[in-house]
Amino acid sequence: MSNQRLDPARQAWESATYEEDPFNLGDLDVSKAPMVVKDFLPSPEELVLKTTKPAQRKVTMVLDDFTIQAFKDKAHELGGSYQAMMRQLLFEYACTLVEERAKEPE
């Protein structure tokens, strides 16, 4: 391997100097800005709650070790099942997707 630098060259905007604050957007018409929803996902405590189960089907899924361990640790802390937490999280996210789709104009 050569001693050639592996990092890409800097882009012009990365080394540009600004006379004004580039993040100052001035007066914005908030009514035309898209709505940004934060924290729409349930908390881990909400994922552990026992609820009625909809019809279920087994699937095979490959997840990274970090994600699995994070869910296992939180489930152990809360006295629940990490698989149930994952299932509930995916269910809540799917419900959000369906609700957003229903709000879209046709």
Side-chain angles (χ1 to χ4, degrees), residues 76-95:
H76 179 72
E77 177 185 320
L78 298 172
S81 162
Y82 80 97
Q83 292 175 335
M85 287 177 67
M86 289 178 162
R87 206 170 24 253
Q88 187 65 28
L89 179 66
L90 289 171
F91 178 78
E92 295 286 338
Y93 184 71
C95 289

Side-chain angles (χ1 to χ4, degrees), residues 35-54:
M35 175 70 81
V36 177
V37 178
K38 293 184 180 181
D39 298 331
F40 67 91
L41 294 174
S43 70
E45 290 78 12
E46 293 172 301
L47 296 175
V48 174
L49 295 176
K50 304 294 182 196
T51 59
T52 58
K53 295 180 182 180

Side-chain angles (χ1 to χ4, degrees), residues 3 13 17 32 36 40 44 64 72 85 87 89 98 101:
N3 290 337
W13 59 268
T17 56
K32 294 182 181 177
V36 177
F40 67 91
D64 59 275
K72 281 184 174 183
M85 287 177 67
R87 206 170 24 253
L89 179 66
V98 170
R101 188 178 309 135

Side-chain angles (χ1 to χ4, degrees), residues 63-74:
L63 301 170
D64 59 275
D65 290 335
F66 175 80
T67 301
I68 295 169
Q69 194 59 50
F71 273 88
K72 281 184 174 183
D73 291 346
K74 196 62 175 180

Side-chain angles (χ1 to χ4, degrees), residues 10-24:
R10 287 185 165 248
Q11 300 294 321
W13 59 268
E14 291 178 302
S15 57
T17 56
Y18 293 99
E19 294 177 8
E20 296 180 10
D21 182 4
F23 299 104
N24 182 4

